[in-house]
């Protein structure tokens, strides 16, 4: 008998163009994992509602995330690619899990505190319980591996706590989910402005989007913060220089990175040349993806078919889990009837 494949689940909010951080933190892993595991990848449209997006933009953004995933190599016949709001069981499980999540721990979540700082007039309950909904997404498929970037580490830790509480109270239903990356550590793709990470909504000039045209890519890279170079051999790199090397490691040849590292160590580095090279390597990396996205976006019938096919697969898995959940929670009051009531 063949060994049952481990289950993988992850999601991306449709809040704007995907960027290099989304690619290297998440989508690159999705593409590799679809060959080895049973995968569920989702457009997290419900999560995006926590920040009250423009309802007209939502449709475009959902289409874009789907197209960007596919252009990066996700195969909808191998992995289920679907929209979160199409799986109603998510909301049911979210409700149950909310009974196991405590106000204190939710208020301490870094992403919640950050959102409250950025939008003090909209600290809604959806934002507070954001990690609960994310847990529901994951465990709805009884997934154990969750490919995400470093910024999601705390949400995964919370997901494990909710799962432990559920299993302790109602019996072992769920495996504990873990953040996953093929390398040894979770990825954080730095922004081009010297500190912090690339992000969909903040600081567009310091973030490289998969939709950026070649000129925009070159310009953004050339504007990255540098200084006049080290004055002593083998000096430690300041964070903003380290970040440029990090970005180069993602898209450039090993020999290129080696050359500039040596130039740095012997104080002959010319940051203008380094950024020019990085700009060209970024263009080489991003432009084929951008072109593919544009051709996929033009085919709405295909996108719709992908989304429906993904939802069907996800619903089947969600329904099976919810049977176990209701049973474990004592929510079945009569022996089997056609409605399961
Ligand atoms: P979101 O939409 O903010 O980001 C999508 C994915 O991209 C990763 N990422 C990064 N990785 C490395 N460096 C960066 N600069 C960078 N920026 C973003 C994120 O870690 C993420 O993997 N809450 C999630 C969406 C979600 C989800 C889920 C994820 C909803 N339900 C269930 C996993 C499982 C989010 O807002 O991702």
């Amino acid at each position: 008998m063949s060994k049952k494949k481990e289950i993988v689940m992850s999601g991306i909010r449709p809040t704007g163009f995907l960027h290099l951080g989304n690619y290297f933190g998440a989508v690159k892993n999705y593409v590799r994992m679809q060959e080895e595991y049973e995968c569920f990848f989702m457009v997290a449209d419900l999560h995006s509602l926590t920040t009250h997006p423009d309802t007209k933009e939502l449709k475009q953004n959902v289409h874009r995330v789907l197209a960007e995933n596919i252009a990066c190599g996700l195969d909808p016949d191998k992995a289920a690619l679907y929209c979160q709001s199409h799986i109603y069981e998510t909301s049911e499980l979210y409700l149950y899990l909310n009974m196991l999540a405590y106000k204190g721990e939710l208020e301490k979540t870094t992403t919640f505190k950050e959102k409250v700082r950025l939008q003090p007039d909209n600290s809604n309950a959806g934002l507070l319980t954001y990690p609960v909904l994310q847990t529901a997404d994951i465990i709805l498929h009884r997934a154990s591996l969750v490919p995400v970037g470093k910024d999601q580490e705390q949400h995964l830790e919370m997901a494990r706590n909710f799962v432990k509480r559920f299993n302790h109270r109602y019996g072992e239903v769920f495996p504990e989910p873990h953040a996953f990356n093929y390398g040894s550590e979770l990825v954080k793709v730095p922004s081009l402005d010297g500190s912090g990470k690339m992000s969909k909504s903040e600081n567009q000039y310091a973030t490289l989007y998969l939709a950026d045209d070649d000129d925009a890519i070159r310009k953004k890279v050339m504007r990255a913060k540098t200084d006049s170079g080290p004055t002593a051999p083998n000096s430690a790199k300041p964070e903003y220089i380290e970040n440029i090397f990090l970005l180069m490691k993602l898209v450039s040849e090993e020999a290129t990175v080696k050359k500039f590292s040596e130039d740095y160590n012997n104080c002959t580095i010319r940051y203008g040349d380094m950024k020019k090279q990085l700009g060209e390597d970024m263009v080489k990396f991003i432009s084929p993806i951008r072109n593919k996205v544009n051709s996929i976006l033009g085919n709405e019938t295909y996108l719709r078919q992908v989304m429906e096919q993904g939802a069907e697969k996800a619903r089947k898995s969600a329904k099976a889990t919810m049977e176990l959940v209701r049973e474990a929670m004592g929510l079945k009051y009569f022996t089997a009837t056609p409605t399961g009531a």
Side-chain angles (χ1 to χ4, degrees):
M1 215 171 76
S2 69
K3 201 168 151 261
K4 205 165 175 296
K5 283 184 183 173
E6 251 183 291
I7 300 174
V8 173
M9 193 279 147
S10 195
I12 299 181
R13 279 170 307 148
T15 43
F17 299 102
L18 291 203
H19 54 72
L20 226 55
N22 301 131
Y23 179 82
F24 286 103
V27 185
K28 187 175 181 215
N29 285 316
Y30 298 0
V31 172
R32 193 163 153 197
M33 292 179 101
Q34 69 184 348
E35 306 297 336
E36 301 173 38
Y37 301 99
E38 183 174 350
C39 295
F40 295 89
F41 298 126
M42 149 202 112
V43 184
D45 56 344
L46 297 178
H47 273 109
S48 74
L49 299 179
T50 54
T51 47
H52 299 169
D54 182 334
T55 47
K56 286 186 213 81
E57 280 175 15
L58 202 52
K59 174 180 160 182
Q60 277 171 352
N61 284 345
V62 168
H63 287 198
R64 177 162 280 282
V65 177
L66 288 171
E68 285 177 324
N69 270 288
I70 299 166
C72 290
L74 206 110
D75 179 347
D77 289 329
K78 290 185 179 153
L81 182 57
Y82 61 99
C83 211
Q84 186 182 27
S85 63
H86 291 173
I87 315 300
Y88 302 151
E89 287 79 2
T90 311
S91 306
E92 184 187 352
L93 186 53
Y94 169 52
L95 181 109
Y96 299 156
L97 290 176
N98 270 324
M99 319 297 176
L100 299 172
Y102 296 102
K103 183 170 161 274
E105 64 188 333
L106 295 170
E107 279 171 344
K108 272 195 281 180
T109 315
T110 311
T111 47
F112 176 69
K113 288 197 288 194
E114 181 65 8
K115 279 286 185 309
V116 171
R117 189 179 66 78
L118 291 171
Q119 46 177 66
D121 298 331
N122 182 26
S123 347
N124 61 65
L127 270 181
L128 184 68
T129 56
Y130 186 110
V132 184
L133 180 57
Q134 181 159 344
T135 305
D137 297 328
I138 299 167
I139 68 176
L140 192 59
H141 304 296
R142 280 167 284 158
S144 51
L145 301 177
V146 186
V148 282
K150 180 100 183 132
D151 59 306
Q152 296 295 314
E153 205 168 28
Q154 190 184 31
H155 289 170
L156 264 296
E157 194 183 317
M158 294 176 81
R160 281 194 294 282
N161 287 335
F162 299 144
V163 161
K164 278 185 209 148
R165 265 173 234 164
F166 185 100
N167 287 347
H168 181 68
R169 187 172 292 263
Y170 300 117
E172 288 287 322
V173 174
F174 299 112
E176 286 178 25
H178 290 269
F180 180 88
N181 176 49
Y182 275 104
S184 52
E185 280 172 45
L186 297 179
V187 175
K188 175 184 155 187
V189 176
S191 93
L192 285 164
D193 64 2
S195 65
K197 64 180 173 88
M198 283 197 188
S199 133
K200 268 182 256 163
S201 43
E202 285 166 63
N203 201 354
Q204 293 182 22
Y205 298 105
T207 295
L208 292 167
Y209 297 95
L210 301 180
D212 279 343
D213 64 40
D214 294 353
D215 265 1
I217 298 170
R218 291 190 183 104
K219 276 198 191 114
K220 285 183 186 179
V221 173
M222 287 314 285
R223 280 175 48 160
K225 181 175 171 181
T226 44
D227 53 26
S228 50
T231 47
N234 302 313
S235 317
K237 297 185 183 85
E239 189 186 358
Y240 49 93
I241 298 296
E242 186 66 68
N243 287 351
I244 298 180
F245 274 96
L246 268 172
L247 290 167
M248 192 168 234
K249 279 184 200 145
L250 295 175
V251 293
S252 303
E253 309 239 337
E254 225 171 278
T256 309
V257 182
K258 190 161 171 258
K259 176 210 166 330
F260 287 105
S261 296
E262 282 167 8
D263 289 354
Y264 181 88
N265 285 334
N266 60 32
C267 307
T268 57
I269 191 155
R270 291 162 59 127
Y271 289 127
D273 291 350
M274 183 178 184
K275 289 194 279 188
K276 220 180 209 161
Q277 178 69 49
L278 179 61
E280 289 317 310
D281 291 341
M282 282 291 175
V283 165
K284 228 193 270 170
F285 179 79
I286 291 175
S287 62
I289 300 179
R290 180 187 65 225
N291 297 338
K292 254 192 231 162
V293 172
N294 290 337
S295 76
I296 298 168
L297 270 179
N299 192 346
E300 271 208 29
T301 317
Y302 170 68
L303 284 178
R304 184 184 177 147
Q305 183 230 316
V306 163
M307 208 168 60
E308 282 173 0
Q309 176 183 322
E312 202 176 307
K313 204 160 154 193
R315 256 181 229 125
K316 199 168 156 211
S317 139
K319 283 199 160 76
T321 302
M322 291 316 290
E323 281 297 312
L324 298 177
V325 169
R326 291 182 207 116
E327 180 88 48
M329 292 181 73
L331 292 166
K332 288 203 165 176
Y333 308 129
F334 300 98
T335 42
T337 66
T339 59

